[in-house]
Amino acid sequence: MRTDTTTVTSTTAAATSTTHAAIAAVRNLGILAHVDAGKTTVTERILYLTGTTHKRGEVHDGTTVTDFDPQERDRGITIFAAAVSCAWAGHRINLIDTPGHVDFADEVERSLRVLDGAVAVFDAVAGVEPQSESVWRQAERHGVPRIAFVNKLDRAGADLDTAVASIRERLHPRPLAVQLPIGTEESFTGVVDLLRLRALTWDGDGTAAAEGPVPAHLADEAATRRRALEEAVAELNPEALEEFCTHGTVTAATLATALRELTRTGEAVVVLCGSAYRNRGIEPLLDAAVAYLPSPLDVPPVRSADPAPSTGAGADPAAGGTGQLRTADPEQPLTALAFKVVAAPTGRLTYLRLYAGTLHKGATVLDTTTGRTERVARILRVMADRHTETDHARAGDIVAVIGPKTARVGTTLCDPDHPIRLEAPVSAEPVVTVAVEARRAADTDKLAAALARLAEEDPSLRLATDPETGQRTLSGLGELHLEVAVEKVRREAGVEAVTGAPTVALREALVEGVTGFVYRHAKQDGGAGQFAHLVLDVRPLPQGTGREGAEPDFVFASTVTGGRVPREYVQAVEAGCREALAEGPLGGHPVTGVAVTLTDGATHPKDSSELAFRTAARLGLREALRASRLRLLEPVAEVTVTVPEDALGTVLGDLAARRGHIQATTPARATAPAGAPASAQVNALVPLAELFGYATRLRGRTQGRGTFTTRPAGYAPAPAAAA
Ligand SMILES: Nc1nc2c(ncn2[C@@H]2O[C@H](COP(=O)(O)OP(=O)(O)OP(=O)(O)O)[C@@H](O)[C@H]2O)c(=O)[nH]1
Ligand SMILES: [Mg+2]
């Protein structure tokens, strides 16, 4: 008997350690960057090198795997985040190639929610560009560890050190370059690995040559940089410091362990370099991703979005209920988050990140948003342009499933016996709206259905009906976002839509409030009456920051004493206030930057109710706002325009005419490298409403030589006429 038990236990232990090792070998990685930095090209090369594809696709030929949507191919940009799986050095890498254009930032947000690590790609000529900074901060907010890849070292004017300096200046105080480029620009042929002090080179078609010694002319430089790397790491890591003090040097193995730890904690950023287009530097990038970025076992457990029960002390944390934690353990109850939904012709695909448990084909899962159970008919691993079916997936994995019909982005799918709800990714508030209607009246219903399907896939798209005109409206994050949506409907549903002129989402900010505002709600019509008496102080908060949402837009407090207003009525008052803030007195726009304090109130023994207090708060605050002073706000964007020097004057004039505030003008580099165009850069804050059609205008005014990028910069006071 005893022997049997021992055997069983050790077999189980062996199985457990195998599963553990399998999860430790998973990397869920995102590729993040400014538009055009080369994310899709890097992804393409990774798929090629890992044997997932057999040819190298190019963005400009429309032949890449991850930019598979016809619009992505036509426009040459990534629009939808694509998830693909591949294998490298005994590890499974689930890779998400994200879009760089700001209008699709919500795709990045949703991806970041399920990633454990990221590769931030930079253009070796441009360095840190505005949208790289935005996605970097986004990743920081999600606590996603990053390594950096300085791409395009083959370009004229490319320079690793300048790019590293711009990372240091704009993103992180401690970028640690672990490579030294061999050759520059056209003659960039390889890198020196500063850890192992070996040279990695690639031949003309991008095939890796055998590893060799550091070229003689770079030996001193490599030694100096290795020394600097040891010092920088020793400063941050106790083991490395000890080794450095004892032996005067730090071994490659200690450096690697320290770099992994520093990446995980975010104390330093490992920087690699290469040229994705020329197939150089991708193998070491993969090695670094595997070595330094976390596995699902290294990230904190997920937590239920619902508050912990007050009596839950000592309860089994995995036994259902609320306030639970789930770890990347295949034995725990299934816990998965849907982060992407695609209404593909082959059926609806739901992409899942599994946080705990094991998902088996044919399993019944609970959708905690709808409370319905659904069956997972098939589990797919997305390998580039094809899928492979699998019969199960484990904690830590990213897979797509077919079967669930109601799951949306942000839905938790879990074990029906152990319900849990995870925090859904927060969707950005739309800032641009257009009216849409079908070109042919007969297509009206078809258009509505197609748009509704799109909004299901992309929660940052909103559909509504204008209460005044009765027109259907579509709102999103920018002009391009809406243009792509309408075009997708045309291509996929075959419905031609016409859109009106775009408008921006305005807000109303409180400038000066009222104190001691008394509102009495008393209604007596036959049966039970309604009675609520409130005294409100309404004050402005420091100006709301808009889309970044860092500051609260509405703060509520109660200073009522002596139980004059029972607690549940106070909550009803807060809810009523929120309702009132949805439509401001200036033009029915959402009101922001408001602090409301309930200072006093009174109830009626029979006629008071939560409903009465809620209604009183809604009507009362609405009236208080009419007695206050408000100011109209409009969304503004930070615009970076890059233009040839000779067009600078025209561009500045045009920006001024668009109510732009010029923040900086950087003249063309006096020593522009040979072959690189001398271009100046302008940074300006411009109202979003003035940027419609700017792409075409800029192209026209600069004969196609100007480019610009924008990123949301919150809200700013708008001219009164905008209401
Ligand atoms: N010279 C050079 N060009 C590159 C390199 N990598 C990418 N490119 C080119 O840069 C352009 C943009 O590359 P993409 O891979 O589409 O960039 P992206 O970051 O995916 O862009 P978005 O998805 O639109 O944000 C394409 O024309 C690429 O061929 C490189 O290493 N060197
Ligand atoms: Mg791309």
Side-chain angles (χ1 to χ4, degrees), residues 33-42 58-60 67 76-78 97-101 151-155 274-278:
H34 189 86
V35 70
D36 266 4
K39 297 172 293 296
T40 301
T41 310
V42 167
E58 300 299 348
V59 174
H60 53 85
D67 283 356
I77 58 168
T78 304
D97 174 24
T98 66
H101 196 286
N151 188 33
K152 304 200 184 182
L153 268 189
D154 60 296
R155 277 186 66 191
S275 161
Y277 184 62
R278 304 282 170 102

Side-chain angles (χ1 to χ4, degrees), residues 166-318:
S166 92
I167 295 177
R168 183 178 300 115
E169 199 177 299
R170 301 188 61 171
L171 301 182
H172 198 291
R174 292 193 188 271
L176 302 179
V178 295
Q179 294 172 336
L180 167 68
I182 301 175
T184 55
E185 304 177 358
E186 273 292 301
S187 62
F188 166 69
T189 53
V191 296
V192 173
D193 174 344
L194 293 177
L195 263 68
R196 296 184 301 126
L197 287 170
R198 299 285 285 167
L200 315 174
T201 50
W202 289 268
D203 66 16
D205 73 355
T207 312
E211 233 177 80
V214 176
H217 73 283
L218 287 176
D220 288 348
E221 183 66 26
T224 311
R225 289 184 181 226
R226 162 62 179 256
R227 181 81 185 173
L229 179 63
E230 289 178 4
E231 284 170 5
V233 171
E235 235 174 72
L236 299 166
N237 179 273
E239 283 79 37
L241 179 64
E242 198 184 320
E243 212 172 286
F244 191 78
C245 293
T246 320
H247 305 290
T249 173
V250 186
T251 63
T254 307
L255 283 175
T257 313
L259 289 174
R260 180 180 178 84
E261 187 54 21
L262 295 174
T263 303
R264 191 183 63 80
T265 58
E267 286 168 274
V269 180
V270 170
V271 183
L272 294 104
C273 62
S275 161
Y277 184 62
R278 304 282 170 102
N279 311 297
R280 293 180 181 160
I282 304 299
E283 294 93 335
L285 175 65
L286 277 164
D287 289 339
V290 162
Y292 305 134
L293 291 172
S295 85
L297 296 174
D298 302 324
V299 298
V302 285
R303 183 180 285 279
S304 157
D306 300 306
S310 47
T311 54
D316 173 2

Side-chain angles (χ1 to χ4, degrees), residues 18-215:
T18 318
T19 340
H20 197 269
I23 299 177
V26 172
R27 295 290 178 278
N28 293 315
L29 299 186
I31 311 266
L32 308 174
H34 189 86
V35 70
D36 266 4
K39 297 172 293 296
T40 301
T41 310
V42 167
T43 306
E44 196 65 26
R45 298 309 187 258
I46 290 179
L47 295 177
Y48 178 76
L49 282 177
T50 56
T52 317
T53 54
H54 299 289
K55 59 171 182 23
R56 302 181 183 113
E58 300 299 348
V59 174
H60 53 85
D61 298 335
T63 52
T64 65
V65 167
T66 51
D67 283 356
F68 54 79
D69 185 272
Q71 284 201 72
E72 295 181 312
R73 299 196 157 180
D74 288 359
R75 294 173 191 265
I77 58 168
T78 304
I79 297 170
F80 310 102
V84 286
S85 290
C86 56
W88 181 254
H91 289 72
R92 170 147 62 235
I93 300 182
N94 297 315
L95 202 64
I96 301 188
D97 174 24
T98 66
H101 196 286
V102 59
D103 279 20
F104 309 106
D106 222 45
E107 284 278 310
V108 182
E109 185 70 17
R110 294 192 285 274
S111 308
L112 278 170
R113 182 67 173 69
V114 298
L115 293 171
D116 301 324
V119 175
V121 180
F122 301 93
D123 179 324
V125 180
V128 177
E129 294 168 277
Q131 190 59 16
S132 329
E133 198 170 336
S134 299
V135 292
W136 184 272
R137 306 272 172 243
Q138 241 173 317
E140 220 161 48
R141 269 204 308 280
H142 286 272
V144 171
R146 282 134 285 161
I147 59 176
F149 182 68
V150 175
N151 188 33
K152 304 200 184 182
L153 268 189
D154 60 296
R155 277 186 66 191
D159 182 44
L160 176 63
D161 292 346
T162 317
V164 171
S166 92
I167 295 177
R168 183 178 300 115
E169 199 177 299
R170 301 188 61 171
L171 301 182
H172 198 291
R174 292 193 188 271
L176 302 179
V178 295
Q179 294 172 336
L180 167 68
I182 301 175
T184 55
E185 304 177 358
E186 273 292 301
S187 62
F188 166 69
T189 53
V191 296
V192 173
D193 174 344
L194 293 177
L195 263 68
R196 296 184 301 126
L197 287 170
R198 299 285 285 167
L200 315 174
T201 50
W202 289 268
D203 66 16
D205 73 355
T207 312
E211 233 177 80
V214 176

